[in-house]
Amino acid sequence: MLNVIQCAQSQEDVAQAEVFWRCEDSMSCTFSGGQLESVGLSNRSATALRVVSGSRIGASFGESPEQVGLLEDAKSSAAFGGSAGYRFASEQPTLCVDAFDPAIADLDIGELVEACLDIHRCIHRLAPDADPSLYCASSVHSVRVATTEGVDVEERSTRWVIRVVIPFADRGTDIGAYGLLLGRSRMSPSDRWIAELVEQRNLGGQPSRPRAGRLPVLLFPQVSNLLIAPLNAGLNGHGFADETSPLCGKMETPIFSKRLTILEDPGHASLFQPRSFDDEGIACRPRTILDAGVLTGCLTDLRSAERLQSGSTGNGIRRSRLSAKIDDPPAPNLMAAVIEPGDEAVSDLIAGIDDGLLVTFIRGLHSSNLAQGSFSVQTDGFHILDGKVAGYLTRTMIAGNIYEDFQTIRALSREVEPTAEGFLSFGGSAPYILLDSVNVTVG
Amino acid sequence: MNQELLAALSGIDVDYTDIRFDEEEKTKIAFEGDDIAQVATYRPRGGHVRAYVGGGKATATFSRIEDARATAEKAARAARILAEHRSKPIRLAEAPILRRSFIASAEHDPRRVSLSEKHELLSHYNRIALAARDVLTTQFIYEDSFSHRSFVNSEGTAVEYDHLIAHILGVIVGRRGDTMQRGFFAVGGSSDFGRMLDRDERLKESLADLDELLDSQPARAGTYPIVLDPIGAAVFIHEAFGHRSEADSMLDNEVLRDRLALGTEIASPLLNVFDDPTIPNCGGTYPVDDEGIEARKTPLIVDGHIAGRLHSRETAAVFDKPVTGNCRASDAGYTPVIRMSNTVIAQGSSSLDDMIASIDDGYYVAGGAGGQGGIDFTFGARWARRIRKGRLEEMVSDANLSGNLFTTLKGISMVGDDLQMLEYFDCGKGSSDGIQMFSRICAGAPHIKLDTATIGGIEC
C-alpha cells in the first residue's frame, strides 16, 4: 500500500483519500531535412491526491506519492473545496488486457535510431526526391490508482509510434502526405503502407479549388475521430445534469445516420492504448454509445454520476478540452471511440464522388462551439472531381454541426485505422466516413 | 541549486551541455455552476538536460535532482549515437555568458494572498455570472503559478529566474429557447493579483455580449471585408504571422525560407509587428529564456517588410543571425522550443469609426476563441457583428475565419490608434515531446481592417 494512503487512513480528519499516479518512460527520434535531427529521452512521473476532509474535497499534486507535504496540501485545499457526496473507488478492477511488451521496455536508443533510418531508406527507395519528416517513439506507461476504500491497481502498457510526413512537391506549402502507425509492440511499416503514402504525396502536384456550397466530404479515419470531439462534449454527464447538452432528452432516440455505431470499449485487445480502469480507479466496461444512430449512453465520472444519481460509467479521465494535465480534475470523457466500419472500399468511395473533398486533416476545431456540436475548420486534403484527385486543397473550410451533417452519412469504409488520444482526439479506431453534404467555403 | 546542477555536468565528455531545474508552486480553484469542482495546490519539480556531442543532439528529462547526473550521462551517450548518423553537425550560435538572478516581484503578489481570498474573489465573479438572465451554468477558474528555474551550461552561464503569473477565466453558458452560447471573461495574465480585483464591469460587458449572442443567427459564409477588434487582431497576428516568425517553422523548407526571406514585402506598409518579452506586466513577459539568453525586443515586420525572426541558438546558427532569447519550455518535462513572447501589432492612426464607415458589406469580428497557424491559418471569433453601409448592425455567431499568409496581411488597409494587450492567452506548439501548452504568452493589437477574409459559416 502507498504510504500516503496509509497515512491518510491514520488521520482522523481524513474521511477518504485517492492517489492517481502516472509514469512515462519514453525515447523518441526525429528525422528531417535528410538528417537525423535529435533524440529525446523522457522520464516523467506525476501524482494527484484527492482527500475528503470535513465532507469537503481537496486536491494536491506533485511528482510522486512520496512527495513531502502532499497530504497536508490536499487537506488545506479541502477547507475551501466542494462537498463530496460520493465515495472513491471501492471495487478492485480486473486487468483485462496485457498491453505490456517487454521488448519495448528493453529497447536501446541505438535500435530506435536504426528503426528510424530504415523507414527513411524505404521512402527514399520509392521516392528519391521526397524529403520526409519522421518521428519514431517507444514508451512505457504505468497508471496506478489507490484509495482508502480498498482499491490499489496498476496497469502498465507499452507504445510504439511512427509518424511520417512527406511534403507535397510544391514546398511552398506546409502540407503533405501524412501517415501514422500505432502499436503496442515494435513494428515496421510495410512496403505497401509506404507506397500508399508516396502515392498520396504524388497526388499533391498542384492545388485545386472546389466550388463553394454543399459538397460531399470524405473524412480520413483520424479526421472521423476528431469530429467525434463535439459528440464527446455532448455525452458529458455534467451536461445532462446541467441540461446544457444538446443530447438531453434524446436517450434511445436517433441522433445520427443509422449507418453510425460507436462502441466504448477501452479494454478491447486491439486498441493502441487499452485501459482496464479510469483515472478514478473505476473498471471500464464495453458499452455501445451509439447504436445504428440511436443514442444509448452518456459518460459519467464519480462526480457527475452523483449529480445524476447514477453510477460512474468508468469514464473519469484527467483531461480537459485542450489538455491532459495531471491537475485537470477527472471529467467524463470517451476513453475508446471505436467507430464501426462499413463495407465499402475507400477506393470505391472516392470513385463515387463527382465533386467533393477528401479531408486528411483539419485545423482550428478547438475554436468551434463544440458543446453544441458545431465545427468550422480549415481543411487539408484533396479536391475530388469525377472520382479522381484533381489537386490538393488550399484555403478551404468546412463548417456545420455534427448533429445535422452526420444525419446523412453516405457510406463508411471497410478499412479502419487505430486512433490515439491527443489534442481533441480519442483512442479507439475509425473508418473513412463519407458525409453526403457539408458546407464548403473557399477563400 | 546551481552548484548541484554544475556538479551533475562536471566531467561529462560533451561539446556542449545544459541543465535546467524547475520548482513550481501552483494554486487552482475551479467552480462549475454552484459547485466547487476543484481546490488544489501543486508543487511539481523536475529537470531537463540537453547534450551536444560531435554534431549530434539529445535531450532528457528527470524528476529528482539526484537523477540529474545519470540523466546527463544518458543524454551524452544518445547524442554520440546520433552524431554517427549525421553528416551536417548541429551547431549553436554564440551566446553571451550570463551569471545573474532574476527574482520575481509584484506589487500585489499572488503568493501573499490567502487561499480564502482567492476563493472569495472567484466566487464573487461566479455569483454575478450565475445571476444573469438565461445563464444556465458557468465554469470559473482561478490559477496562479510561480516557477523558480535554475539553468547552467558548460560554457559558464549560470542563471536563476522566476516566472509568476495569475489569471481568472470564466466560461458562461447561456440558453434561450434552442440556442445555447458561451460568454467569456478573462482577467489577470500578469504577476499582479490586483489586476483581477474590481473587474465587475468587464464581466458585465461579457454578460451583455452573451445576452445579445443568444438572439443571434450564424454568420453567412463567404469572403468579406472585416474589422477585427484588438483581441481578435492580436490572435490574428499570432496565428497568421507569429508562428511563421518562429524560425524552426521553416528550418527544413527551402522554398518557404525563400518566400519569407528577410526584407520580403509580406504585408501592407501600414503594418508593423514586434515581439517583446520586456513589456512590463504581460503574460509573455520574462527576463531570460530557457537557454540562458536575456530577453529582448525583436522587430518582425517593419513597414510591411519582414524584419526579423525569433530564434533559438540552433536556428540562429543555421540562419547565421544573433540569438533573440525566445527558446522556452512550458515546464521541466519539455525541451525548449522557439516561442513568441508578447507579440504586438504597433499602433496606427485610424479610428474605429473610420474603419466601420469604409465598409459597405462586411463584418466586425470580436475576440479570439483560439486558432491555428500555418501558411493557411484559421481562428475563431467570440462573436461578430454585421456591417452594412458603414454602420454596425446585428450580432452574429459562429464566425470562424481563415486566410493565407501571403495574401491576407497585404490586405490590411487600416490600423487603429487603440492598442490593447490581451489579459490572458494560451497557445500550444507541437514538438518532439508532444504539444506544449503555454499560458505565459501574450499578444496585443489595435483594431485593424482586412479587405478580404474568409468566413466559414454554415449558410452561404
Side-chain angles (χ1 to χ4, degrees):
Chain A
M1 184 187 286
L2 292 168
N3 277 343
V4 69
I5 291 293
Q6 259 180 332
C7 199
Q9 278 174 331
S10 70
Q11 297 195 8
E12 283 184 8
D13 57 350
V14 177
Q16 297 182 70
E18 172 206 86
V19 169
F20 170 75
W21 185 15
R22 69 177 173 215
C23 304
E24 179 185 344
D25 195 353
S26 67
M27 294 191 296
S28 65
C29 178
T30 56
F31 184 105
S32 67
Q35 297 270 305
L36 279 168
E37 187 178 42
S38 72
V39 169
L41 310 167
S42 177
N43 192 326
R44 301 180 203 175
S45 164
T47 297
L49 172 68
R50 295 196 293 176
V51 301
V52 177
S53 177
S55 77
R56 289 175 174 273
I57 191 162
S60 62
F61 307 93
E63 308 88 59
S64 83
E66 311 306 324
Q67 189 165 316
V68 174
L70 208 58
L71 184 56
E72 291 310 311
D73 280 348
K75 281 164 57 179
S76 303
S77 299
F80 302 96
S83 63
Y86 54 87
R87 189 179 175 201
F88 291 144
S90 58
E91 194 174 324
Q92 181 80 359
T94 305
L95 298 184
C96 53
V97 56
D98 180 7
F100 184 80
D101 178 356
I104 290 283
D106 294 340
L107 199 72
D108 182 77
I109 189 66
E111 293 173 87
L112 188 72
V113 166
E114 277 304 325
C116 192
L117 290 169
D118 278 346
I119 298 167
H120 180 253
R121 285 184 203 111
C122 270
I123 295 170
H124 187 70
R125 199 174 60 237
L126 290 168
D129 61 331
D131 183 14
S133 296
L134 310 177
Y135 170 81
C136 299
S138 67
S139 55
V140 180
H141 299 254
S142 73
V143 176
R144 182 172 177 179
V145 177
T147 71
T148 49
E149 311 311 289
V151 164
D152 191 350
V153 61
E154 181 175 11
E155 187 164 49
R156 289 201 303 163
S157 60
T158 49
R159 294 174 196 169
W160 175 260
V161 178
I162 294 171
R163 194 168 57 226
V164 182
V165 180
I166 311 180
F168 292 148
D170 173 6
R171 288 298 306 265
T173 75
D174 50 5
I175 54 176
Y178 176 82
L180 183 66
L181 269 185
L182 305 169
R184 303 196 308 249
S185 295
R186 185 172 170 174
M187 61 168 91
S188 297
S190 65
D191 284 353
R192 186 176 163 198
W193 187 85
I194 291 175
E196 284 175 357
L197 203 60
V198 169
E199 187 187 338
Q200 196 194 118
R201 174 254 191 185
N202 292 340
L203 291 172
Q206 77 282 323
S208 178
R209 290 158 66 85
R211 66 180 169 83
R214 295 197 72 87
L215 296 175
V217 171
L218 179 59
L219 309 173
F220 254 52
Q222 300 294 334
V223 181
S224 303
N225 177 274
L226 270 174
L227 279 179
I228 295 299
L231 177 65
N232 180 65
L235 292 170
N236 186 318
H238 288 294
F240 283 83
D242 296 333
E243 299 188 347
T244 54
S245 168
L247 300 178
C248 273
K250 294 191 176 168
M251 204 57 76
E252 304 300 338
T253 64
I255 59 165
F256 288 137
S257 158
K258 63 184 177 185
R259 294 180 191 276
L260 199 61
T261 293
I262 300 178
L263 310 177
E264 161 75 358
D265 187 3
H268 196 281
S270 69
L271 296 184
F272 168 58
Q273 300 157 306
R275 285 283 298 269
S276 303
F277 55 90
D278 72 2
D279 292 351
E280 296 181 307
I282 305 294
C284 298
R285 297 187 296 273
R287 292 189 306 143
T288 302
I289 296 290
L290 194 74
D291 188 3
V294 174
L295 180 65
T296 52
C298 73
L299 311 173
T300 56
D301 60 352
L302 287 171
R303 196 165 73 87
S304 60
E306 182 199 11
R307 297 180 69 195
L308 291 167
Q309 298 183 316
S310 66
S312 168
T313 56
N315 289 92
I317 298 297
R318 290 187 176 272
R319 174 178 178 163
S320 65
R321 195 167 67 94
L322 298 180
S323 71
K325 296 181 295 190
I326 192 77
D327 55 332
D328 290 325
N333 276 291
L334 281 165
M335 295 184 73
V338 178
I339 305 175
E340 292 275 277
D343 50 15
E344 296 190 47
V346 67
S347 55
D348 292 339
L349 296 183
I350 294 171
I353 298 173
D354 292 332
D355 186 0
L357 272 54
L358 171 58
V359 176
T360 57
F361 190 66
I362 54 176
R363 296 169 201 270
L365 182 63
H366 58 295
S367 313
S368 300
N369 188 354
L370 297 182
Q372 295 307 299
S374 302
F375 63 91
S376 180
V377 293
Q378 197 169 67
T379 58
D380 288 352
F382 301 97
H383 179 205
I384 308 292
L385 267 179
D386 300 325
K388 292 186 177 132
V389 171
Y392 68 81
L393 298 173
T394 177
R395 283 185 263 173
T396 305
M397 294 182 81
I398 58 171
N401 186 295
I402 63 162
Y403 299 117
E404 293 164 13
D405 294 315
F406 279 58
Q407 296 277 358
T408 50
I409 291 175
R410 203 184 277 183
L412 293 93
S413 72
R414 61 175 176 243
E415 295 91 344
V416 291
E417 289 183 11
T419 56
E421 187 181 318
F423 187 65
L424 291 175
S425 63
F426 302 93
S429 62
Y432 292 76
I433 298 178
L434 178 53
L435 300 173
D436 190 58
S437 166
V438 180
N439 199 62
V440 175
T441 312
V442 184
Chain B
M1 179 58 70
N2 280 355
Q3 290 308 312
E4 288 171 88
L5 299 181
L6 278 171
L9 298 185
S10 74
I12 295 178
D13 183 19
V14 290
D15 299 327
Y16 170 88
T17 184
D18 63 38
I19 187 165
R20 186 181 85 243
F21 198 75
D22 298 2
E23 298 162 282
E24 289 190 73
E25 289 173 27
K26 298 182 184 178
T27 306
K28 186 173 181 179
I29 306 169
F31 279 88
E32 288 178 7
D34 286 325
D35 290 343
I36 302 167
Q38 191 178 53
V39 178
T41 51
Y42 191 12
R43 297 178 200 275
R45 54 187 56 208
H48 183 274
V49 172
R50 301 191 307 172
Y52 294 73
V53 184
K57 169 196 174 186
T59 63
T61 64
F62 58 97
S63 292
R64 301 179 314 150
I65 190 68
E66 303 91 285
D67 297 330
R69 182 163 183 89
T71 305
E73 286 169 343
K74 265 169 58 178
R77 180 178 163 263
R80 222 166 270 124
I81 290 170
L82 198 81
E84 291 167 14
H85 299 281
R86 277 192 70 91
S87 55
K88 272 192 298 190
I90 296 171
R91 294 183 302 117
L92 295 177
E94 292 288 317
I97 291 167
L98 187 65
R99 291 188 182 127
R100 258 185 85 178
S101 288
F102 301 88
I103 302 304
S105 63
E107 196 173 325
H108 197 159
D109 192 324
R111 290 171 293 174
R112 292 200 294 270
V113 178
S114 69
L115 192 56
S116 165
E117 195 177 334
K118 292 168 184 172
H119 178 272
E120 179 46 39
L121 179 65
L122 192 69
S123 174
H124 167 77
Y125 291 132
N126 190 43
R127 283 195 302 269
I128 291 175
L130 283 170
R133 186 166 77 117
D134 293 327
V135 167
L136 208 53
T137 190
T138 56
Q139 289 179 317
F140 270 74
I141 295 172
Y142 168 88
E143 274 183 295
D144 62 43
S145 165
F146 169 70
S147 167
H148 177 74
R149 299 189 176 188
S150 308
F151 173 95
V152 302
N153 70 20
S154 53
E155 295 169 343
T157 286
V159 288
E160 296 199 32
Y161 49 106
D162 294 343
H163 296 296
L164 178 61
I165 193 165
H167 61 252
I168 287 175
L169 289 179
V171 178
I172 306 135
V173 180
R175 182 167 67 193
R176 189 168 297 151
D178 290 335
T179 303
M180 204 173 300
Q181 289 290 351
R182 296 175 300 169
F184 294 89
F185 171 66
V187 291
S190 78
S191 56
D192 183 12
F193 187 84
R195 204 159 145 178
M196 294 179 287
L197 301 172
D198 303 321
R199 303 301 297 272
D200 294 11
E201 287 308 313
R202 168 67 71 89
L203 177 55
K204 285 173 185 167
E205 284 169 20
S206 298
L207 291 167
D209 290 342
L210 173 62
D211 187 63
E212 196 174 351
L213 199 56
L214 285 169
D215 291 327
S216 67
Q217 297 295 311
R220 292 178 71 83
T223 55
Y224 300 92
I226 63 167
V227 174
L228 284 173
D229 82 338
I231 296 174
V235 178
F236 162 78
I237 199 63
H238 173 97
E239 302 294 356
F241 183 75
H243 281 296
R244 279 295 164 200
S245 72
E246 295 166 343
D248 52 355
S249 72
M250 65 184 85
L251 203 56
D252 299 317
N253 191 329
E254 292 292 341
V255 174
L256 204 52
R257 279 167 69 167
D258 284 348
R259 293 183 76 183
L260 293 171
L262 295 186
T264 301
E265 187 178 357
I266 187 86
S268 147
L270 297 171
L271 190 69
N272 290 281
V273 180
F274 59 88
D275 184 86
D276 189 356
T278 67
I279 300 172
N281 287 326
C282 289
T285 302
Y286 56 87
V288 61
D289 78 354
D290 292 319
E291 289 190 308
I293 312 289
E294 269 195 280
R296 66 204 64 185
K297 180 177 177 178
T298 304
L300 300 177
I301 295 177
V302 174
D303 299 335
H305 292 77
I306 298 175
R309 293 192 188 95
L310 306 178
H311 284 292
S312 62
R313 289 185 67 180
E314 275 184 33
T315 63
V318 171
F319 287 82
D320 195 23
K321 294 289 174 194
V323 292
T324 60
N326 287 87
C327 197
R328 300 193 291 149
S330 55
D331 61 46
Y334 292 99
T335 300
V337 292
I338 302 170
R339 296 305 326 246
M340 288 168 262
S341 61
N342 303 307
T343 309
V344 182
I345 296 179
Q347 187 155 295
S349 58
S350 295
S351 71
L352 174 60
D353 287 347
D354 287 347
M355 290 187 200
I356 302 292
S358 71
I359 293 177
D360 192 49
D361 179 15
Y363 283 96
Y364 176 86
V365 174
Q372 206 157 333
I375 299 285
D376 290 342
F377 59 85
T378 178
F379 79 100
R382 298 284 188 218
W383 52 266
R385 202 176 277 285
R386 198 68 200 257
I387 303 173
R388 290 191 189 89
K389 299 192 186 313
R391 296 177 59 156
L392 276 176
E393 298 195 342
E394 79 277 8
M395 186 180 276
V396 298
S397 63
D398 301 304
N400 278 21
L401 272 69
S402 81
N404 177 273
L405 171 64
F406 296 106
T407 55
T408 309
L409 293 179
K410 284 189 175 152
I412 294 175
S413 56
M414 298 172 97
V415 179
D417 56 4
D418 49 1
L419 172 65
Q420 286 179 38
M421 297 299 292
L422 297 181
E423 288 197 51
Y424 174 79
F425 193 35
D426 64 4
C427 170
K429 179 168 178 174
S431 67
S432 57
D433 304 315
I435 291 176
Q436 294 192 54
M437 288 305 296
F438 279 78
S439 57
R440 292 192 318 280
I441 204 160
C442 187
H447 278 93
I448 60 170
K449 180 188 168 192
L450 303 178
D451 281 341
T452 305
T454 304
I455 291 187
I458 293 166
E459 295 173 37
C460 291

